[in-house]
Amino acid sequence: MVEGLFCKVRSLGLQGVNGYEVLAECDLSNGLPAFDVVGLPDTAVKEARDRVRSAARNCGFRFPAARITVNLAPADRRKAGTVYDLPMLVGILAAGGQLPPPEEDAAFVGELSLDGSLRPVTGMLPMALAARRAGIRTLYVPADSAAEATLAGDLTVCPVESVEELVAHLRGKRRIGPAEVWRPTAEPEAGLDFADVKGQDQVKRALEIAAAGGHNLAMIGPPGSGKSMLAKRLPSILPALSEREALEATEIHSVMGLTSREKPMVVQRPFRAPHHSISATGMAGGGSPIPKPGEISLAHNGVLFLDELPEFHKDVLESLRQPLEEGKVQISRAAASEVFPSRFMLICAMNPCKCGWYGHPSGRCRCSETEVRKYLGKLSGPLLDRIDLYVEVPALDFEELSRKPKAESSAAIRARVERARQVQAVRFGREGPDCNAHMGPRDLQEHCPLDEACRTVMKGAFERMGLTARSYDRILRVARTIADLDGAEQIGVPHLAEAIQYRESGYFRR
């Protein structure tokens, strides 16, 4: 790959949550000493010149006193980050004859310290997956990023601690052994269990239905009734991540720098609970010049919990519409447009009024009906229409709080949820939706037929509640999940009636 004072080194880059191949073309020519990086580099890439020069000198190499030009191809894609430090160094040393040319099926990724050691990089998994697609067979990465790179499979990942170690390997003096493929180990339970929650049986039932079908849910009740406590225990009854879901979640977390050498893979369903002061960009994603994923993408294949729902800014809440409907969010900027996956369960908690005590037996609420309507009016109809289940969380009395026997454990509830999910997996097959909440129009027609009795019940609810076509479909999906939990092949009147019950809330009928 070397011709005169020219060398090509394969590397990888990131665009959104996807990796792509980058070719570092290094040219040494006569002229005044200079070091230029072209190919739409950002500031971090331009600063690689100083890191590469210092690392080479501190490792005992003679940095070429020549005009150095490094082109990062394709030149029409903006390059960001510090992943190009290592391929630049290898290319310059190889072009100057201080290193043998790298193999054609090898790629290099890594950030350099000034002393020549390598630092971990973000987005290692999507870049490793891109390397596999590009036919790269050997990948040289920082040792702290090697475990994550092995998740891509079908790659020989060489963990590099320092430039000296890599040079000894390339010269054939001391080989670097390939990293072992990282395998998740059984982790202890987080400790959050529904057995710790006293009372609230109806709310637990609604959460079980939501978990079994992947449905969105809103809890309405006074402060201290247990809304947050219940929401935080929802992951304990959700089914385990499949390998595909785990890799999808890991790609997003990797791009955001949320993986580590010890935990390179997301092995439990994400649970994201952003504060109500979050911006629309923080929620949906964005940034300039290259958009980054937001909280809704970090919650992909998991749970997004919004506590004190009406306190979130209106533009933040409205940014949830497209992701809730399509399972993805498109971010468009002047420099780039990215599509991020964002299929999550939305769990909301809110007070019935601004002071929080509307309807409480103590009578401490002083909000007028107008103030209550104004508070609840912060939530738009289209957003509320995308929530499948509404459940009221009443304040507990003394007898319920002082009761000693424990409630049903998360393990028992999770067993029922997993049985229902297995029924759905068999029903939809590998090419269909992964749960009832994601059924499309054709799936609804095929798997949610209503007999005459059910049609009568649904017609009455449709006219009484003023349902939309979307809310009609969501009731059918919830009824299908209730039937699955009940072990029924067809939706019956009790299943449909329970689904309708969760759809209407006295607070929102006001």
Side-chain angles (χ1 to χ4, degrees):
M1 298 180 68
V2 179
E3 182 179 353
L5 300 179
F6 179 78
C7 180
K8 294 181 180 179
V9 179
R10 300 177 78 175
S11 185
L12 300 150
L14 275 176
Q15 185 167 351
V17 294
N18 299 309
Y20 65 97
E21 184 180 2
V22 174
L23 196 62
E25 301 174 329
C26 304
D27 177 74
L28 277 61
S29 60
N30 295 327
L32 292 175
F35 190 169
D36 296 318
V37 180
V38 297
L40 286 182
D42 72 350
T43 302
V45 179
K46 291 178 182 178
E47 290 174 346
R49 296 173 297 186
D50 298 316
R51 291 191 295 272
V52 169
R53 184 183 290 109
S54 297
R57 288 174 176 171
N58 290 331
C59 291
F61 293 99
R62 176 179 52 80
F63 197 78
R67 183 173 185 82
I68 302 171
T69 303
V70 177
N71 177 45
L72 300 176
D76 60 346
R77 281 192 177 187
R78 184 172 295 277
K79 315 302 186 306
T82 57
V83 299
Y84 307 108
D85 293 6
L86 187 59
M88 285 187 195
L89 177 62
V90 171
I92 291 171
L93 294 180
Q98 299 182 70
L99 272 182
E103 297 176 353
E104 293 186 3
D105 60 355
F108 299 79
V109 169
E111 175 186 342
L112 290 171
S113 296
L114 298 187
D115 62 357
S117 60
L118 265 70
R119 299 180 183 272
V121 296
T122 59
M124 191 66 256
L125 177 57
M127 286 191 289
L129 291 169
R132 191 183 69 181
R133 292 192 297 269
I136 293 169
R137 302 183 62 182
T138 305
L139 188 59
Y140 295 91
V141 302
D144 287 343
S145 300
E148 185 178 326
T150 62
L151 300 176
D154 297 330
L155 281 174
T156 299
V157 178
C158 294
V160 182
E161 294 281 359
S162 64
V163 172
E164 294 96 328
E165 184 182 35
L166 177 62
V167 169
H169 173 84
L170 295 177
R171 289 175 174 174
K173 295 180 178 179
R174 188 173 65 252
R175 307 298 293 179
I176 299 175
E180 294 184 5
V181 177
W182 187 85
R183 301 292 183 190
T185 56
E187 295 189 359
E189 293 293 331
L192 298 178
D193 197 298
F194 273 99
D196 302 327
V197 183
K198 296 180 179 180
Q200 306 296 12
D201 292 336
Q202 182 181 358
V203 186
K204 293 177 185 176
R205 167 67 175 173
L207 286 168
E208 179 181 338
I209 295 170
H215 304 290
N216 304 322
L217 178 142
M219 295 178 285
I220 308 102
S225 56
K227 302 185 295 295
S228 299
M229 187 179 187
L230 286 158
K232 290 176 182 177
R233 281 156 176 76
L234 177 60
S236 67
I237 65 173
L238 290 173
L241 284 169
S242 66
E243 183 178 357
R244 175 186 59 81
E245 290 175 327
L247 288 175
E248 289 176 355
T250 301
E251 286 187 82
I252 301 168
H253 282 69
S254 175
V255 169
M256 299 301 290
L258 299 178
T259 55
S260 65
R261 183 171 187 167
E262 295 75 23
K263 293 184 177 181
M265 187 177 189
V266 177
V267 295
Q268 295 180 339
R269 291 196 178 271
F271 183 87
R272 306 294 299 183
H275 190 260
H276 58 73
S277 61
I278 190 173
S279 66
T281 299
M283 181 68 79
S288 181
I290 301 177
K292 292 284 189 179
E295 287 291 334
I296 59 175
S297 295
L298 288 169
H300 182 61
N301 292 328
V303 177
L304 178 67
F305 175 48
L306 303 184
D307 201 3
E308 305 297 342
L309 184 65
E311 300 299 331
F312 284 81
H313 295 290
K314 184 176 180 180
D315 58 338
V316 174
L317 295 179
E318 296 308 305
S319 69
L320 298 174
R321 287 197 197 179
Q322 181 197 17
L324 286 173
E325 202 69 25
E326 301 179 7
K328 60 184 179 181
V329 57
Q330 181 166 345
I331 307 296
S332 298
R333 297 291 183 267
S337 179
E338 299 293 339
V339 177
F340 301 128
S342 56
R343 191 171 293 283
F344 55 88
M345 288 178 60
L346 176 64
I347 305 298
C348 309
M350 57 181 291
N351 297 326
C353 64
K354 190 167 184 62
C355 77
W357 300 105
Y358 183 86
H360 194 270
S362 65
R364 70 179 77 180
C365 178
R366 295 294 182 266
C367 298
S368 66
E369 287 290 331
T370 301
E371 291 172 327
V372 174
R373 282 196 293 269
K374 183 179 179 181
Y375 180 74
L376 298 178
K378 294 180 179 180
L379 307 176
S380 69
L383 176 64
L384 295 175
D385 209 28
R386 287 167 167 81
I387 297 176
D388 304 300
L389 299 96
Y390 292 90
V391 58
E392 297 179 15
V393 187
L396 297 177
D397 57 27
F398 176 78
E399 294 299 328
E400 289 177 304
L401 288 172
S402 60
R403 193 179 301 162
K404 291 184 178 179
K406 280 194 171 183
E408 189 177 26
S409 68
S410 292
I413 302 174
R414 182 174 182 172
R416 295 195 295 269
V417 169
E418 289 180 338
R419 284 196 295 269
R421 287 288 186 112
Q422 289 170 3
V423 170
Q424 295 165 43
V426 173
R427 175 189 301 131
F428 300 129
R430 296 183 62 181
E431 302 300 325
D434 53 359
C435 61
N436 287 335
H438 304 153
M439 283 193 290
R442 292 184 180 179
D443 298 311
L444 287 171
Q445 291 181 6
E446 182 178 354
H447 304 298
C448 301
L450 300 181
D451 58 22
E452 194 60 36
C454 288
R455 285 174 56 84
T456 301
V457 172
M458 180 61 94
K459 181 180 179 181
F462 194 92
E463 295 173 350
R464 182 181 73 257
M465 298 165 58
L467 299 176
T468 64
R470 181 186 290 113
S471 55
Y472 172 83
D473 290 345
R474 290 184 178 273
I475 287 176
L476 289 182
R477 295 186 182 106
V478 174
R480 180 65 267 173
T481 299
I482 296 172
D484 291 341
L485 285 168
D486 197 30
E489 293 187 6
Q490 299 294 330
I491 296 175
V493 171
H495 310 134
L496 188 61
E498 185 177 2
I500 294 172
Q501 168 199 327
Y502 289 123
R503 186 68 193 180
E504 57 179 341
S505 169
Y507 292 111
F508 293 105
R509 292 200 307 272
R510 185 170 289 105

